Amino acid sequence: MTQPIPTTAFAALVAVCLAVAVFAAGAWAGDYHVYSCRTPSGQVAPTDGWSAPAHPSYDITSDTCESGGGLIAALGANATHLADSEFDKATWQFNAPESETVVSTTLWRAGDTLGGTNENAFYLFWVSGAADLGTNAHIFDECSADLDCAGKGNFTDPLATENRLVAPDEALNSPYLSLSAYCGAFVNEVMCPTNEGDHITYDAEIELFAADIVLSQPSGPTPSDVSGGLAEDPTVNGISDVSFHATDFGSGVYEAIVAVDGQVVEHRIIDEQGGRCRSLGGTSDGLNAFLYTKPCPAEASADLSLNTTAFTNGEHHLVVTVTDAAGNTATVLDREVTVANPPPPGCEANGPAAPRSPAEVFALAAGWKGHANPHLRARYGAPHTLEGAITGPGGAPVSGGLVEVCELPAYSGAPLIPLASPRTDAAGRWSLALPRDLPSSTLKIAYREDPLDLLPVALDTLTLTVPASLQLHVAARRVRAGGAIRLTGSLRGGPLPPGGKQLVLEARSPHGPWIEFHVIRTGAAGRFHYRYRFRLAGPARYQFRVLSEAEADFPFAAGASNVVRVFEG
């Protein structure tokens, strides 16, 4: 009898497993979703990428998606069907664009084999992927009349649970998917049953109601013809621009991103093509989602403007990137540029308060709404409101006073950023709702008796500590022994360090200690992914999470993601 493994031994086993595993991370490749026939929410979608090979006229391949149906592949009744014939079958096949592969897919399908079987042959349908459309294809869903399978799924409810089919790993990583209705045989050169009359329409059929296909593109866009003040001038001021051309013959040129000192200040879809090249969003893994296999233009030009008055005078690190629809990124511009604008009002002059006699003393009170402590620790995205009051000589309230609020993000070399300038009410009180995407920061609040005064007459300071916010997803929560999982996610907030933020992947058995097994970096937009293959046989349950540790060039405290659970067996 096999003895149960003690908790400590099991934790050690996990450590060994993680230490010796060979990770299939490889080079970065971008992924994106393509919806066919229906989106997961039920909206009608095109069937881009799907085609039907030639077949006899009595077999049927029909696209009824726009009218509420699906992609139908069927063998018509009242016809003679030759068994094991590569020609006498009905097939819909999906072909990914050149050099791209299918890395995951969820299908919603239903089918039947009402033509039945005889002593020599039988009707069936199947779904396959990987390798090619011939003998090397991997069939991962099948219904055959000779095995007493009369049908699968629900024809009347396209997105019903019983119609949902997730492709296994061994059916993926090729450009192909296909679904077929067919006549099989026990012996060679025989015929399947012939069904005369009107009691059935098809001898065998399969109908695809929806597909959520994730494509992987190994290479990214190529920028060229970069010009403009931001690209060429050593010193800039006011509004300056950069223009460039880009090509991407996979998913297409998607978005331009401008970052200053690691902080994304603008991102723009270069050419939406009437909405075709706009991500539908709503994916659980954070990837883009489209209705076409090549949703965005293969070539596009962009002209981006930057208001340099939003930045402090001096040297800044400017990075302009272009992405394709799959999330692959290429650098358009990466340089140091000097900003030289007239000094901005407010924050730059917030030195010590101007000296006053006791009779002229002003007082500024500032605090976090609902919190007595001037040092607030809160999650990313939570609402924060500052409130306070200003009094003048003798304690009289200052009405209509302009309060300057400036943010100093908690990373090395961060500029002082003006946020807003609320005015006090008749009682001298003021409040300000802060942006929800603030990082850990020092908030400097100042009041000048005259807005043109060089120095304020009253100052106060508050601090905000925000742990890093991470989301982690796993494509499959149950895998076969020795299978692989795909961990994806995103780190919210910025600015990100040059080259992305370093993250730590950890795993454990339930109730065991967390064990670090790999270090990765995010992309320019904070996204990350990693492919992990189990090397020890299950069955076993594992938990995974990702950590962001505190760094001097990232303005967030240490934080951990949600925990995802996977069963290997």
Side-chain angles (χ1 to χ4, degrees):
M1 177 177 178
T2 302
Q3 296 297 317
I5 301 175
T7 302
T8 53
F10 188 66
L13 180 62
V14 175
V16 172
C17 176
L18 295 175
V20 303
V22 177
F23 298 97
W28 179 275
D31 298 344
Y32 62 107
H33 291 255
V34 176
Y35 298 144
S36 298
C37 197
R38 282 174 181 77
T39 69
S41 63
Q43 300 298 312
V44 173
T47 52
D48 186 47
W50 292 90
S51 61
H55 55 72
S57 59
Y58 48 79
D59 294 335
I60 293 92
T61 51
S62 179
D63 182 351
T64 66
C65 293
E66 286 193 6
S67 60
L71 291 177
I72 300 172
L75 304 183
N78 301 315
T80 300
H81 298 289
L82 177 63
D84 287 342
S85 167
E86 282 301 306
F87 179 62
D88 191 359
K89 70 176 179 180
T91 295
W92 279 101
Q93 64 188 39
F94 177 85
N95 289 341
E98 184 177 358
S99 80
E100 296 186 16
T101 57
V102 178
V103 294
S104 73
T105 186
T106 302
L107 309 175
W108 285 263
R109 60 85 188 98
D112 64 50
T113 58
L114 298 181
T117 182
N118 58 28
E119 66 276 10
N120 294 318
F122 50 89
Y123 289 106
L124 71 157
F125 68 79
W126 72 73
V127 183
S128 65
D132 55 32
L133 296 175
T135 57
N136 292 326
H138 179 89
I139 295 174
F140 59 92
D141 183 52
E142 184 176 8
C143 179
S144 178
D146 73 305
L147 298 177
D148 297 324
C149 179
K152 288 184 177 181
N154 185 336
F155 283 99
T156 62
D157 186 1
L159 297 181
T161 301
E162 58 264 43
N163 290 351
R164 187 172 184 270
L165 176 66
V166 178
D169 287 347
E170 55 268 27
L172 301 173
N173 299 309
S174 87
Y176 308 111
L177 290 171
S178 68
L179 48 101
S180 300
Y182 194 62
C183 169
F186 301 113
V187 296
N188 294 331
E189 297 183 355
V190 296
M191 299 294 178
C192 264
T194 300
N195 295 281
E196 299 179 355
D198 298 327
H199 62 289
I200 62 173
T201 303
Y202 303 126
D203 286 327
E205 69 171 312
I206 181 170
E207 186 168 1
L208 179 72
F209 296 110
D212 179 356
I213 301 169
V214 178
L215 298 179
S216 184
Q217 179 181 334
S219 59
T222 301
S224 60
D225 301 330
V226 183
S227 62
L230 290 176
E232 301 164 353
D233 297 342
T235 302
V236 295
N237 56 56
I239 306 296
S240 190
D241 70 344
V242 60
S243 62
F244 64 90
H245 187 74
T247 57
D248 185 280
F249 297 103
S251 57
V253 180
Y254 181 53
E255 191 174 41
I257 301 171
V258 180
V260 178
D261 299 327
Q263 173 71 57
V264 174
V265 297
E266 182 180 1
H267 52 88
R268 181 197 310 168
I269 298 175
I270 297 175
D271 182 358
E272 292 191 12
Q273 298 204 117
R276 173 180 175 135
C277 182
R278 174 170 284 279
S279 175
L280 301 178
T283 57
S284 61
D285 52 17
L287 300 177
N288 290 330
F290 302 96
L291 300 179
Y292 299 89
T293 58
K294 294 186 173 185
C296 297
E299 299 188 49
S301 295
D303 190 350
L304 307 173
S305 297
L306 180 67
N307 183 358
T308 66
T309 63
F311 307 98
T312 57
N313 286 341
E315 192 172 80
H316 293 275
H317 187 203
L318 174 67
V319 177
V320 179
T321 54
V322 59
T323 73
D324 58 25
N328 292 309
T329 301
T331 300
V332 175
L333 186 64
D334 187 344
R335 66 183 294 240
E336 301 297 322
V337 63
T338 299
V339 173
N341 285 301
C347 291
E348 290 296 322
N350 278 355
R356 297 274 171 157
S357 67
E360 299 176 310
V361 169
F362 286 79
L364 186 156
W368 298 100
K369 185 177 182 179
H371 301 274
N373 196 320
H375 310 289
L376 177 66
R377 183 181 178 90
R379 63 179 176 80
Y380 180 83
H384 311 303
T385 299
L386 300 181
E387 60 183 8
I390 300 177
T391 57
V398 174
S399 175
L402 195 65
V403 182
E404 300 168 2
V405 181
C406 303
E407 170 207 358
L408 181 62
Y411 67 92
S412 299
L416 198 58
I417 303 169
L419 291 181
S421 297
R423 287 191 180 273
T424 59
D425 61 17
R429 302 200 61 80
W430 61 274
S431 67
L432 175 65
L434 296 177
R436 294 196 176 198
D437 60 352
L438 282 185
S440 297
S441 306
T442 299
L443 282 301
K444 297 179 178 291
I445 304 100
Y447 169 67
R448 302 171 203 276
E449 187 177 12
D450 185 322
L452 298 180
D453 287 345
L454 178 62
L455 295 176
V457 295
L459 291 168
D460 204 352
T461 300
L462 302 172
T463 58
L464 173 66
T465 300
V466 182
S469 175
L470 302 107
Q471 286 292 319
L472 181 63
H473 308 279
V474 61
R477 294 182 180 274
R478 187 182 185 95
V479 295
R480 60 183 174 80
I485 58 173
R486 183 178 178 80
L487 298 168
T488 62
S490 60
L491 173 65
R492 301 168 67 193
L496 295 173
K501 175 66 174 72
Q502 179 176 285
L503 302 177
V504 176
L505 292 170
E506 292 188 334
R508 70 176 182 181
S509 58
H511 310 299
W514 286 106
I515 299 166
E516 175 183 329
F517 66 89
H518 200 68
V519 175
I520 58 175
R521 283 192 178 271
T522 69
R527 296 175 181 167
F528 59 88
H529 64 197
Y530 191 78
R531 187 175 178 84
Y532 172 72
R533 181 172 296 279
F534 293 96
R535 295 302 182 187
L536 296 182
R541 299 184 185 275
Y542 301 101
Q543 297 176 348
F544 293 85
R545 71 176 183 181
V546 60
L547 303 182
S548 173
E549 299 176 330
E551 294 182 22
D553 55 356
F554 184 60
F556 290 88
S561 73
N562 56 301
V563 175
V564 297
R565 295 169 174 81
V566 178
F567 177 77
E568 179 202 14

